[in-house]
Amino acid sequence: MDVFVYGTLTDPKRVRTVLETDRSDTAAAFVGRATLEGLHRVDGRYPTLAPGGTIDGRLLAVDDAGLERLDRYESVESGLYVRVAVPQMSRSDDRRGDMAGGTIDERCWVYVGDPDRLGVDVTWPGDGPFHDRVDGFVSRADIAVRRPG
């Protein structure tokens, strides 16, 4: 499965450390550059995402053990970050930037940090817990990871 990374996890050395790739039970590899459309980076205590815009990053392919390690690194259990699924698309010749501008290949994971805990001024629309607001926004908006080519 793929994970769109846009902060410290774009550094191969950091990824090797976090994923303990020297262990035989974890497999991970960068599979290329990508752009996340519909969200943009905001820097606070750690980088996070906010509605609107775009951000360039990388796709990291991991197995289940790797995803569990990423969840620990991003403190998903304590709610510092949430992990949400977004469509992953290949670009077509139609480059309008909307969902019609490519074909959905699969979904990939994206980590979004809680703005209150990271000290940034970001508002996610909706009511309820942070994870529900992010998940709701991502499921309703034209959010997608696009790979070049």
Side-chain angles (χ1 to χ4, degrees):
M1 68 203 78
D2 290 344
V3 179
F4 177 84
V5 294
Y6 57 91
T8 59
L9 291 173
T10 60
D11 176 31
K13 185 176 179 181
R14 175 69 55 103
V15 169
R16 282 191 303 274
T17 301
V18 170
L19 296 181
E20 304 172 8
T21 53
D22 55 334
R23 296 175 51 147
S24 61
D25 67 336
T26 303
F30 284 108
V31 293
R33 299 210 173 273
T35 299
L36 176 58
E37 297 178 351
L39 300 173
H40 69 278
R41 180 177 166 153
V42 177
D43 290 317
R45 194 171 121 212
Y46 302 111
T48 188
L49 299 171
T54 63
I55 179 172
D56 292 328
R58 299 176 82 178
L59 287 174
L60 176 64
V62 298
D63 58 12
D64 289 337
L67 192 61
E68 288 176 24
R69 286 189 176 96
L70 290 176
D71 282 355
R72 279 196 305 274
Y73 176 75
E74 299 289 8
S75 300
V76 169
E77 188 173 308
S78 71
L80 183 62
Y81 281 79
V82 297
R83 178 169 43 92
V84 294
V86 299
Q88 183 179 154
M89 305 177 81
S90 296
R91 287 203 191 271
S92 71
D93 290 336
D94 178 358
R95 300 192 184 262
R96 292 179 294 169
D98 61 12
M99 296 299 274
T103 57
I104 296 177
D105 294 328
E106 56 190 57
R107 297 183 95 50
C108 72
W109 295 110
V110 176
Y111 289 96
V112 180
D114 185 333
D116 293 337
R117 295 187 55 196
L118 297 176
V120 295
D121 186 20
V122 171
T123 302
W124 284 88
D127 297 316
F130 174 64
H131 185 277
D132 294 348
R133 288 182 285 138
V134 172
D135 199 44
F137 180 83
V138 167
S139 68
R140 290 187 305 273
D142 283 343
I143 309 294
V145 170
R146 293 188 189 266
R147 294 174 294 149

